[in-house]
Amino acid sequence: MLALKGRPSYAWPKYSITEPVHYYDLIELKNPTYVRSLLTPNHVSNYKIHLLGNTKSKFKTTIKQYKRDTYAYVEALGVKREAVNNYHTPNEFFSWPRTRNLALLRANWLEIDVKEEIEKFDIRDRVKKLEKRVVDDIFQQLEANQFPPPTGYVCSGSGGVHFYWIYEPIAAKPINVELWRSIAHKLKEKLRSNNIWHVDEGATGKIAGHMRIPGSMNHKTGLYARFFDGGAKYIFNELVEDFGLAAKLNKLQKRYARISSPIEPSQQKTSCPNDKPKPYRKYGHNIKEWWLKCVNIIKSHFNNLGYVPLGKRDKTAFILFVAFQHIDKNSAFERLLKVNQDFINLPTEELTNLVQTAKVVNYNYKKETLAEYIDSILGYVPDYLKPKEKIRLSVDEVQRRQKLSANSTAEKKRVRTNELILSTISELTILNEVKPTQKQVAEKTGLGLSTVKRYWQ
């Protein structure tokens, strides 16, 4: 097989059936770093979702106990069985399994469903023939598209097959979530269904979705889901490149580096009660800049101290999260985790519970209220939060300042609009492989067509 330019050519591995525990070990199903969700309609408690891992929830369980508590009548066998229709989330969460709580990415997958109904006779033979047809067809298309081989695949017990690309766990940062979805989109876009099977696009693209657990029984056929292993366990960024997404990876890395690059403590002056902190950078007057100043003063103070004293850790973590929410909601918790690791040192579970309210409530502090809050943590009020002495200006001076401000605002808006149009042109050119029209850029950016025309050159 010839390799496409810039893309590797793969020696396709041989896959063979293995014990379910091998899949458990590959993806760390039993002992997740954070929280993993288990789902079934057949649990004795009548609750569909239970949790594995680092949680104090009343729904916490273990794989062994979960299987014992899950049973149902299997018509094909004429008896009740344990571990019927058990599903899990391959990815992990900080708490309850919702997309906004994503903590770690561990795999991408491709779910294939069959169109043929399995009758009650010759179940085993009919299912195995369907599975072989699906696997052969999918492998042929993956190879034709120069996609990397899956780590393994799970035969669901009804003819459907789930293909997994498992990798070393990686934090669910916005950039990685976007790349995860790009891989899923490429699989859905390039693989062509036929009259035997079809791609389940919803399941393939659901990052917080549940997938059948190897070793659990399919209620329709009475057959167990089986895991076939043989491929490699990947590194996420390498897998992204193997799927032909290197250009998007580089582009996103540059974009997120601009958005979320922290200001290093070494770039700031020291902070103590006798030597009032002065931020390294010059701040504007918008709300994000205001909260960024708050973050840098707190970080500078405790970086110099080396830790947050007991009794102040909760308040420090909370106000930092509120600030991060105002700066960038998508990366707020990720940034808080980094600061927590550096000097707050709260347990992750406690930190997660602490900020639950702030995730849904928009805290808009008045200047005086924030000054009191910061004073209770640092022992002093930063200069920018102190009330300023009012100076009465002449009419001419007021008009002069208003004109300067208006000109400055207009220039900033012009620069931002220009950058937005340029980045959109670049993005659409990469996506469609042709330069976009002015109308396409206007629709993508939300700007008026006349505005785009004015900036087009």
Side-chain angles (χ1 to χ4, degrees):
M1 179 174 60
L2 294 176
L4 298 177
K5 187 175 181 181
R7 301 276 297 281
S9 178
Y10 301 98
W12 209 259
K14 293 184 179 179
Y15 295 86
S16 58
I17 191 169
T18 60
E19 292 295 325
V21 70
H22 191 61
Y23 173 84
Y24 300 171
D25 291 341
L26 268 174
I27 208 163
E28 297 183 42
L29 177 63
K30 292 183 177 180
N31 300 300
T33 305
Y34 293 99
V35 177
R36 183 171 267 127
S37 170
L38 303 175
L39 180 145
T40 182
N42 306 315
H43 199 274
V44 66
S45 68
N46 291 325
Y47 289 106
K48 290 185 177 182
I49 291 181
H50 289 73
L51 304 177
L52 292 174
N54 185 22
T55 178
K56 295 179 181 178
S57 170
K58 67 177 180 179
F59 299 106
K60 184 175 181 178
T61 186
T62 64
I63 286 289
K64 188 175 182 180
Q65 187 62 45
Y66 184 74
K67 288 183 175 180
R68 287 177 179 174
D69 292 340
T70 305
Y71 53 87
Y73 179 79
V74 181
E75 189 176 352
L77 302 179
V79 294
K80 276 192 173 183
R81 284 285 189 266
E82 289 183 352
V84 179
N85 295 339
N86 288 176
Y87 301 86
H88 73 300
T89 54
N91 295 324
E92 296 183 22
F93 306 83
F94 289 117
S95 53
W96 201 252
R98 296 186 179 94
T99 302
R100 67 171 181 263
N101 293 332
L102 266 175
L104 286 182
L105 301 176
R106 287 189 173 271
N108 275 80
W109 53 85
L110 169 68
E111 179 164 335
I112 303 296
D113 291 337
V114 293
K115 300 178 180 179
E116 181 178 343
E117 285 293 330
I118 302 298
E119 302 294 339
K120 294 180 181 179
F121 57 89
D122 296 331
I123 289 177
R124 187 175 297 275
D125 290 339
R126 290 168 65 84
V127 167
K128 285 188 175 181
K129 287 179 181 178
L130 269 177
E131 290 170 348
K132 186 177 187 307
R133 171 70 184 273
V134 170
V135 171
D136 288 346
D137 286 354
I138 294 299
F139 280 179
Q140 183 178 356
Q141 291 200 37
L142 290 175
E143 287 188 87
N145 283 288
Q146 286 285 294
F147 289 162
T151 305
Y153 59 89
V154 174
C155 294
S156 69
S158 62
V161 185
H162 310 155
F163 298 84
Y164 286 92
W165 287 261
I166 300 174
Y167 32 79
E168 296 298 331
I170 186 168
K173 299 178 181 179
I175 180 175
N176 296 331
V177 169
E178 192 165 343
L179 290 167
W180 189 98
R181 291 195 168 110
S182 295
I183 293 175
H185 176 74
K186 203 151 194 184
L187 287 168
K188 292 186 291 183
E189 180 186 42
K190 295 296 183 181
L191 294 176
R192 302 300 177 199
S193 304
N194 57 34
N195 60 342
I196 302 295
W197 56 264
H198 68 274
V199 177
D200 187 333
E201 296 190 359
T204 299
K206 193 171 183 180
I207 197 168
H210 293 78
M211 304 291 287
R212 191 177 292 273
I213 301 176
S216 70
M217 182 175 287
N218 189 299
H219 79 285
K220 293 181 180 178
T221 63
L223 298 176
Y224 288 99
R226 289 146 291 132
F227 179 57
F228 289 76
D229 181 37
K233 187 172 184 178
Y234 292 91
I235 302 297
F236 182 71
N237 281 0
E238 293 178 1
L239 181 66
V240 170
E241 294 180 354
D242 289 348
F243 268 99
L245 296 165
K248 182 158 190 175
L249 172 62
N250 292 333
K251 179 183 175 182
L252 290 176
Q253 285 175 336
K254 290 176 182 177
R255 181 202 301 172
Y256 282 100
R258 289 197 304 268
I259 294 174
S260 58
S261 293
I263 297 174
E264 297 297 331
S266 60
Q267 294 177 315
Q268 304 172 40
K269 293 185 179 180
T270 58
S271 173
C272 65
N274 297 324
D275 182 16
K276 300 297 188 298
K278 301 292 184 183
Y280 168 74
R281 58 174 292 172
K282 189 174 182 179
Y283 296 87
H285 295 284
N286 66 60
I287 196 67
K288 288 187 178 182
E289 298 286 351
W290 197 72
W291 281 103
L292 182 58
K293 182 182 288 190
C294 174
V295 169
N296 281 341
I297 285 173
I298 294 173
K299 288 177 66 177
S300 179
H301 178 87
F302 289 118
N303 273 329
N304 284 308
L305 189 61
Y307 66 100
V308 179
L310 293 175
K312 295 185 177 181
R313 295 191 297 174
D314 285 5
K315 295 185 75 172
T316 301
F318 184 82
I319 198 63
L320 283 173
F321 183 73
V322 170
F324 289 143
Q325 285 277 88
H326 282 283
I327 295 167
D328 181 4
K329 281 191 176 183
N330 291 329
S331 63
F333 194 75
E334 172 197 329
R335 291 184 176 194
L336 182 63
L337 284 175
K338 176 65 169 60
V339 175
N340 185 61
Q341 183 180 3
D342 289 343
F343 53 74
I344 302 178
N345 298 320
L346 281 173
T348 303
E349 181 77 16
E350 185 176 338
L351 192 70
T352 303
N353 294 334
L354 178 68
V355 302
Q356 283 304 314
T357 305
K359 284 185 176 181
V360 294
V361 177
N362 188 28
Y363 287 94
N364 291 314
Y365 286 88
K366 292 182 179 179
K367 188 174 183 178
E368 298 78 9
T369 308
L370 184 59
E372 291 178 6
Y373 200 110
I374 298 297
D375 189 24
S376 69
I377 297 174
L378 306 183
Y380 66 94
V381 178
D383 286 341
Y384 85 103
L385 291 176
K386 291 179 179 178
K388 294 181 179 179
E389 182 181 353
K390 293 184 179 179
I391 302 173
R392 194 171 187 85
L393 301 175
S394 66
V395 175
D396 290 342
E397 180 62 17
V398 170
Q399 291 177 346
R400 188 186 71 83
R401 293 190 181 192
Q402 287 175 340
K403 184 177 180 180
L404 287 174
S405 177
N407 290 339
S408 176
T409 302
E411 176 61 20
K412 289 178 181 177
K413 183 179 179 181
R414 187 193 69 77
V415 171
R416 286 197 300 268
T417 302
N418 190 53
E419 289 178 348
L420 175 60
I421 290 173
L422 286 174
S423 63
T424 303
I425 290 172
S426 177
E427 182 180 348
L428 292 176
T429 301
I430 293 174
L431 184 64
N432 302 323
E433 297 182 352
V434 293
K435 186 176 179 180
T437 64
Q438 294 175 348
K439 184 177 180 181
Q440 288 173 328
V441 173
E443 291 174 351
K444 179 73 173 177
T445 60
L447 299 172
L449 182 58
S450 59
T451 302
V452 174
K453 287 180 178 179
R454 193 165 64 250
Y455 283 84
W456 192 251
Q457 294 304 323

